[in-house]
Amino acid sequence: MELPSITWFLVLLVLHPELAKSEECQQQLEIDMDLEEMACKNFHQYACGNWYASSVQRKLGAHDMRSKWLANMKMQLIRHLGSDSSPVVDSSSSAQLTTFYQSCMSSDQSLRSYTDALIRSSGTNFPLLQNNSNSSFDWIPVNAALRTYGAPSFWRLLVLDNWQLADQKIFYILSPTFDLLGHGDEFTEFFYERNLKMLLMELGLRVRRAAQLAANLVEFEKSLRNLTPENMENLSVLREPQKLRDLELELPELQLRRYFDTILQGLDWDPSTLLLVADIGYLRGLQGLLAKQTDPLILSTWLLLQLPLRFEYKMHEDEKLSTQQVRCLDQLRKLMPGALGRLEIELMLGENYQDVYDTSIQQTALLFRDLKQQFELSLNRTEVFNEDLVTRNLAVEKLRAMRLLTPRLQDPTGHAATGATPLGSNLDENLIQLSLNQARLEFRQAVFGAEAVTSMPSDPFSVNAYYRLKLNRIELPLGLMATPLAREHHCPKEAGLGFILAHEMMHALDYDGINYDATGQLANGQWPARAIIRFGVRANCYIDLYGNATVAINENVADSEGLRLALDTFRRRNGTQNLRDFFVTYAQNWCGTSNANLSGIPQMVTHSGHVDRVNKVVANLPEFGEAFHCTTTSLMNPINKCRIW
Ligand SMILES: *[C@@H]1O[C@H](CO)[C@@H](O)[C@H](O)[C@H]1NC(C)=O
Ligand SMILES: *[C@@H]1O[C@H](CO)[C@@H](O)[C@H](O)[C@H]1NC(C)=O
Ligand SMILES: *[C@@H]1O[C@H](CO)[C@@H](O)[C@H](O)[C@H]1NC(C)=O
Ligand SMILES: *[C@@H]1O[C@H](CO)[C@@H](O)[C@H](O)[C@H]1NC(C)=O
Ligand SMILES: *[C@@H]1O[C@H](CO)[C@@H](O)[C@H](O)[C@H]1NC(C)=O
Ligand SMILES: *[C@@H]1O[C@H](CO)[C@@H](O)[C@H](O)[C@H]1NC(C)=O
Ligand SMILES: *[C@@H]1O[C@H](CO)[C@@H](O)[C@H](O)[C@H]1NC(C)=O
């Protein structure tokens, strides 16, 4: 076919906006492509061969497309928060962000801020600070005061979804994690002990005494660590939620009622309805240990140092500027996620960010609706449910009940995150203040439930979506909504955000998903054996395809079936045009190399590497071979293809 002349081309642009769109999409895609590579040989190389991240981006964690987007967001935030253009005096949350960041970058810290805060709020003095190591010590109010500042003490108190009744948040009492002490590795322990010694010296102890006391503190902490079972993160082995009163009867010496009286001060709470999930084994051991007349000096000093340790006091004395910037941003992410997320969206989406954001949320909802519709069509047709209307209806019902949770931007005038007290130039005071506010917010959620849950903070630095099995719900964090994926652009959205939604949707009906019903309740055996076998035979095809990768089976299935769903949805909306754009757009989600360590996203571990995520997944779709005219002998067009739905 002859190429149109320039004039013809311009006319076409005017007459066919879709064509212009495709042209612009190709220009955008070509930046990262290696056009010398053959698409049918190595599609990842073809789509991503020219992709790279600058050294500044790499310093901020960029190693693939998504982490590069995240690095760009961090660069913008650092630039914005670090510019001292306007010493703002108002108390808007945006000004508070700048105030905090600048205090974090410039302030000298003082250990006394933390010890004073602890003395003030527990009303207790500490033997170490009184020169009187023989005085008795009441650890109960200190243990509670630490939690009001968000610090762990003898136990961690978390506010989490109730694993039985997912729409409710409740308290979990778990053992500490002992990350600073380490888990038996000598180096970590050595540095921890040295760090404790430095803190004690800063409190006025002489070198020899500080060293001795630090060694004793480490010994004490090791005896706490010995109380924990091997897999203490394993919440599924915990017992059901129970009433505070019952737990008190079981563990009288821990005085849980006094603990909750302190941390829930000012909230109108009802001890008879308060629900708790507790790590009973650990708490029993703790009760025994504390009853053994531990030296009050050790006990009190260990507690005294938990607050500065929680804020990583003086652990970063000689860090590089970029490390310090990232640490200060991370503190904002933890302590003011709502305000930071709003600023991020503002910086990434520009002047009309509110409108742009609302539009992108609406488009995402439409995309979700269309994907669901398309998936339902496949479920209606699949042989998995042949002559089995009951099971098919269960699957369709679950799909229809699935919800999408998109983040709301925090109210710009919202002071909720900072409370009444505006931040100042002292980092220690700021940290204490913010942490206190945050703990109060969490406690409200646990006590008042749904009322506060709508203000759920949404992680501005998470660029992954999640499917929550027990809620039958897909969640999109704010970070993802700030990436180019969620914005208006020229390439098929179905291949970017659409694929991500489709991938998560597949988890509802994967090997784990089929055991849960439409409301997220465990419903083992709801599918008859015949349907499970038909499903299993088809799913096993993927195990062969990936060479026995049974660990990642759910992820590999979700990738391949998800891309099929995204593609079908794209074709239904747009016809058979621009299939190549679709596949390259999909592939470019996975430019760069996967590196589970750098990503900081544990979920990545069970995914296949980026090259497989592209090559194996596209090669599995016949439409790919057709679009790129791959021969039947080419690597990217194998004869055997898998399909479940
Ligand atoms: C503790 O005693 C030392 C020397 O005996 C003294 O210098 C220091 O001020 C005392 N500290 C307190 C808090 O009383
Ligand atoms: C603490 O008690 C021990 C033994 O009961 C005693 O020898 C020591 O002098 C006491 N020290 C202080 C500072 O009171
Ligand atoms: C959690 O506990 C269950 C039951 O004891 C066990 O089957 C599972 O492997 C554990 N998971 C982890 C991550 O330790
Ligand atoms: C699937 O089948 C059901 C029952 O036959 C029907 O009501 C529904 O409209 C079908 N869904 C789609 C998307 O065609
Ligand atoms: C997968 O496992 C089966 C049986 O355990 C074995 O025969 C086969 O060679 C394995 N395939 C690969 C690619 O490792
Ligand atoms: C595909 O269709 C959607 C919805 O109809 C439309 O918004 C989009 O612009 C089309 N995209 C392309 C690349 O044609
Ligand atoms: C990833 O982390 C683990 C443990 O944290 C370590 O053993 C491994 O060497 C790391 N891998 C890379 C590629 O850094």
Side-chain angles (χ1 to χ4, degrees):
M1 196 184 80
E2 215 176 316
L3 287 175
S5 70
I6 289 289
T7 3
W8 263 113
F9 183 63
L10 288 178
V11 171
L12 282 173
L13 277 187
V14 175
L15 295 181
H16 297 275
E18 282 308 315
L19 194 64
K21 208 167 164 175
S22 161
E23 196 70 26
E24 295 201 31
C25 170
Q26 275 157 27
Q27 280 175 13
Q28 187 182 314
L29 294 175
E30 275 178 18
I31 297 170
D32 293 329
M33 289 170 75
D34 172 4
L35 294 167
E36 318 253 300
E37 179 68 41
M38 297 205 294
C40 297
K41 203 171 135 218
N42 182 345
F43 193 60
H44 187 268
Q45 179 65 23
Y46 172 77
C48 293
N50 201 29
W51 182 91
Y52 100 114
S54 70
S55 68
V56 182
Q57 290 166 330
R58 287 201 306 274
K59 255 186 221 146
L60 291 170
H63 57 89
D64 67 1
M65 192 62 112
R66 292 209 213 178
S67 49
K68 182 169 147 181
W69 287 331
L70 185 55
N72 288 344
M73 293 183 218
K74 289 185 177 175
M75 272 159 67
Q76 294 245 27
L77 284 166
I78 287 169
R79 203 174 302 142
H80 177 89
L81 294 170
S83 63
D84 49 352
S85 49
S86 50
V88 222
V89 243
D90 70 86
S91 61
S92 72
S93 55
S94 155
Q96 298 285 287
L97 286 170
T98 308
T99 307
F100 177 88
Y101 183 81
Q102 297 190 350
S103 77
C104 181
M105 291 300 289
S106 64
S107 200
D108 283 330
Q109 290 194 271
S110 157
L111 191 53
R112 286 285 171 181
S113 303
Y114 299 96
T115 55
D116 287 352
L118 207 51
I119 291 168
R120 213 166 44 233
S121 59
S122 67
T124 311
N125 217 323
F126 292 81
L128 181 79
L129 304 176
Q130 283 176 318
N131 275 350
N132 179 7
S133 53
N134 286 9
S135 65
S136 70
F137 174 71
D138 183 3
W139 61 268
I140 308 281
V142 181
N143 194 47
L146 278 167
R147 184 54 185 89
T148 63
Y149 292 118
S153 44
F154 284 136
W155 56 74
R156 278 181 303 154
L157 181 79
L158 303 182
V159 175
L160 296 173
D161 287 336
N162 182 348
W163 57 275
Q164 291 205 313
L165 241 154
D167 56 352
Q168 183 189 25
K169 288 196 179 288
I170 60 173
F171 291 108
Y172 285 70
I173 304 185
L174 306 173
S175 71
T177 53
F178 307 110
D179 287 340
L180 296 173
L181 174 63
H183 294 271
D185 119 67
E186 273 177 40
F187 277 109
T188 314
E189 194 176 308
F190 171 81
F191 283 113
Y192 181 48
E193 186 171 324
R194 198 184 63 163
N195 196 37
L196 290 175
K197 185 177 106 178
M198 309 281 257
L199 291 179
L200 291 169
M201 282 159 57
E202 197 151 336
L203 283 174
L205 264 63
R206 299 178 65 90
V207 176
R208 184 185 295 276
R209 178 143 185 262
Q212 183 56 50
L213 190 49
N216 292 341
L217 292 174
V218 164
E219 279 314 305
F220 174 68
E221 191 162 329
K222 278 162 127 176
S223 63
L224 285 177
R225 192 182 62 191
N226 286 341
L227 302 173
T228 61
E230 288 291 304
N231 53 1
M232 55 197 183
E233 289 293 343
N234 195 338
L235 293 186
S236 65
V237 299
L238 294 175
R239 52 165 70 188
E240 306 178 4
Q242 59 188 133
K243 296 265 169 63
L244 172 61
R245 222 183 351 228
D246 299 334
L247 201 57
E248 265 191 299
L249 288 176
E250 211 167 331
L251 302 159
E253 282 154 54
L254 298 186
Q255 302 197 34
L256 290 169
R257 180 60 200 270
R258 255 178 96 196
Y259 179 79
F260 281 99
D261 275 339
T262 309
I263 67 170
L264 300 181
Q265 243 172 57
L267 295 178
D268 186 15
W269 66 291
D270 179 356
S272 68
T273 59
L274 199 70
L275 284 182
L276 297 161
V277 171
D279 183 346
I280 295 290
Y282 170 76
L283 292 181
R284 257 197 220 112
L286 177 68
Q287 184 169 258
L289 184 77
L290 294 177
K292 274 195 304 189
Q293 294 299 317
T294 310
D295 183 348
L297 178 70
I298 305 286
L299 206 65
S300 61
T301 307
W302 188 83
L303 287 169
L304 183 69
L305 296 184
Q306 294 311 301
L307 194 53
L309 287 173
R310 135 99 176 146
F311 294 113
E312 300 176 36
Y313 177 80
K314 281 275 155 121
M315 282 180 174
H316 302 277
E317 262 168 318
D318 44 4
E319 67 192 1
K320 287 189 304 230
L321 181 66
S322 61
T323 318
Q324 198 185 345
Q325 290 169 330
V326 168
R327 181 171 53 83
C328 292
L329 269 192
D330 274 337
Q331 276 170 335
L332 281 176
R333 172 202 202 169
K334 272 187 241 158
L335 297 170
M336 297 180 72
L340 187 67
R342 188 179 178 89
L343 177 63
E344 178 179 279
I345 291 286
E346 198 175 326
L347 293 174
M348 301 310 292
L349 304 192
E351 221 175 312
N352 286 330
Y353 69 95
Q354 186 71 62
D355 291 343
V356 176
Y357 186 75
D358 291 346
T359 306
S360 110
I361 293 285
Q362 281 162 17
Q363 287 184 352
T364 305
L366 291 180
L367 193 53
F368 181 64
R369 184 202 62 189
D370 290 354
L371 287 162
K372 274 170 80 167
Q373 189 97 33
Q374 188 68 38
F375 195 10
E376 184 173 319
L377 215 56
S378 305
L379 293 178
N380 274 358
R381 291 175 184 162
T382 177
E383 286 169 18
V384 173
F385 303 130
N386 258 3
E387 291 156 42
D388 186 0
L389 269 178
V390 176
T391 315
R392 186 175 89 190
N393 286 342
L394 283 177
V396 168
E397 195 187 307
K398 179 165 184 181
L399 178 64
R400 287 186 178 175
M402 188 188 294
R403 293 283 165 263
L404 177 70
L405 188 73
T406 46
R408 272 198 340 197
L409 290 187
Q410 182 182 296
D411 180 357
T413 58
H415 297 232
T418 49
T421 323
L423 301 176
S425 59
N426 183 316
L427 173 62
D428 303 302
E429 302 294 340
N430 290 345
L431 283 170
I432 288 172
Q433 178 69 38
L434 286 178
S435 208
L436 204 56
N437 296 339
Q438 197 181 45
R440 271 197 211 118
L441 204 66
E442 275 185 287
F443 298 155
R444 285 187 73 83
Q445 290 189 349
V447 172
F448 299 124
E451 177 235 309
V453 172
T454 48
S455 64
M456 184 185 74
S458 174
D459 190 345
F461 291 167
S462 170
V463 288
N464 246 338
Y466 304 91
Y467 174 70
R468 306 263 179 231
L469 208 51
K470 292 171 188 168
L471 297 168
N472 190 21
R473 179 170 88 187
I474 296 175
E475 295 178 6
L476 301 182
L478 199 66
L480 191 72
M481 302 307 293
T483 67
L485 281 177
R487 267 177 274 152
E488 187 54 64
H489 51 76
H490 306 292
C491 292
K493 234 182 178 159
E494 293 82 359
L497 195 59
F499 165 75
I500 290 176
L501 289 170
H503 170 107
E504 298 307 325
M505 222 174 247
M506 291 301 152
H507 285 313
L509 294 177
D510 67 14
Y511 270 112
D512 292 329
I514 59 177
N515 296 319
Y516 291 82
D517 70 13
T519 63
Q521 303 283 337
L522 190 61
N524 280 321
Q526 65 165 353
W527 278 32
R530 193 177 53 168
I532 293 180
I533 290 168
R534 281 182 179 161
F535 171 82
V537 166
R538 288 157 166 257
N540 275 343
C541 172
Y542 286 104
I543 297 188
D544 298 339
L545 189 67
Y546 285 89
N548 291 349
T550 41
V551 182
I553 182 69
N554 280 335
E555 292 306 327
N556 295 334
V557 166
D559 275 351
S560 284
E561 297 287 324
L563 189 62
R564 152 144 313 284
L565 176 56
L567 177 65
D568 288 345
T569 307
F570 174 67
R571 288 196 305 178
R572 173 165 284 260
R573 287 173 147 202
N574 302 73
T576 48
Q577 301 278 309
N578 305 331
L579 284 194
R580 289 185 176 210
D581 291 355
F582 176 90
F583 285 113
V584 177
T585 304
Y586 164 73
Q588 289 192 347
N589 280 314
W590 309 111
C591 287
T593 54
S594 62
N595 182 335
N597 287 19
L598 281 182
S599 74
I601 307 166
Q603 280 80 359
M604 297 291 284
V605 179
T606 53
H607 287 105
S608 297
H610 286 3
V611 176
D612 274 0
R613 283 197 94 162
V614 171
N615 288 351
K616 293 216 159 137
V617 172
V618 297
N620 192 48
L621 296 181
E623 291 85 344
F624 173 80
E626 285 160 25
F628 288 93
H629 307 302
C630 300
T631 63
T632 47
T633 53
S634 58
L635 285 171
M636 299 297 311
N637 194 16
I639 293 171
N640 293 330
K641 293 184 161 62
C642 304
R643 177 163 187 176
I644 299 180
W645 305 119

